[in-house]
Amino acid sequence: MNALNCPNCGAALPAHSAKMDIATCDFCGTSFRLAKTLTPQPDMGDLLLGADFGNKIMPGWEAVNEGNLTFHKGSPSELRGKFNPQTNSYYVLKSSGLLDNFDISVNIKFTEGDKEWIRAGVYARFSPEGGYGFLVSAQASFTFGTFAKDEKGELLFYKLMAWSYHTALRSSMNENNRLRVICNEENFRIYLNGVLAASFKDEKFKMGRLYLAAEPSNKSTIGVVFSDLQLREVPQ
C-alpha cells in the first residue's frame, strides 16, 4: 500500500507528494495540505486491510474465478480479469471473513468489451441470503440495490436506484474510476471519484462478505482492472 492517500476519496498519491506542502489528487481534484506525519486524515478511518495485487496470495482476501485473473506488480499493483458473456456477475475477489461496518474504496478500469453493457463494482454484506451491490459502468453511470431471493430461491438484484449518469465518472475505456462505499449500521454513502453521489438507509443485511465483481451481461465480453483496494474503519 502507498503511504499517502487523498483524505477526500482515498486514492493513492504519487511518492513525490511527500515532499510537498500542498498536494492535489489526480482522481477527485481535491487540493489539501499534507500533514507532517504520514497518518490517515481525520475524515478517513485507519486502514484495516489492503491488497497486493502483484501476488496471488493476499492475506484477508481470496481470489475467485482465478483462471480468468492475472496479477501485476506496479504502483499501484493491478488485478486484471477477462470474462465471457453471461447474464450473472463474475466474482473476482472476496473477503476471507464477515464484515459489518466498513469504508471500502477501489479503482475500476474497463479495458475490453462493449461499453454499452459492461459494469463492475462492490458487493457488500453479501451472503447466500442476499446483500448489497454497488456498480459503475463504462458509460459514466452507476447503480445500487439489494440482492434477495425470488420464489425459486435464486438471488436477484433489485435496484434501489436505476442506472444514472454522474458527472464525476469518466466515460471512456481505459480510464480509472474510484468507487468508495461507506457502510455504517443502516447508513450507506456512495462516492464516485471523491464526490458524494448517493446515500440511503436500509436494515435488511447487517453482516457478510465483501466482493469485487465484474458483470459483462450476456451481450459482451469484459476486461476489467482493479487497483488500490482499501478497507478502512468507518470515519466518525
Side-chain angles (χ1 to χ4, degrees), residues 10-90:
L13 301 174
H16 63 77
S17 297
K19 301 178 182 179
M20 302 177 181
D21 291 329
I22 297 177
T24 300
C25 177
D26 291 336
F27 286 97
C28 68
T30 300
S31 295
F32 52 93
R33 186 173 298 279
L34 289 175
K36 297 301 181 183
T37 57
L38 303 182
T39 56
Q41 298 293 321
D43 57 344
M44 294 191 71
D46 288 336
L47 182 66
L48 298 175
L49 187 62
D52 178 8
F53 290 145
N55 195 321
K56 292 183 180 180
I57 300 174
M58 296 166 284
W61 303 100
E62 302 171 31
V64 189
N65 290 303
E66 192 171 328
N68 299 87
L69 306 176
T70 55
F71 303 81
H72 300 264
K73 296 184 181 299
S75 182
S77 57
E78 294 182 338
L79 175 58
R80 303 174 189 173
K82 293 183 180 181
F83 302 96
N84 292 323
Q86 74 171 26
T87 301
N88 298 324
S89 299
Y90 288 92

Side-chain angles (χ1 to χ4, degrees), residues 214-229:
E215 187 175 314
S217 81
N218 59 359
K219 300 180 182 294
S220 175
T221 58
I222 186 174
V224 62
V225 177
F226 296 95
S227 62
D228 199 11
L229 174 63

Side-chain angles (χ1 to χ4, degrees), residues 157 171 219:
F157 184 62
S171 62
K219 300 180 182 294

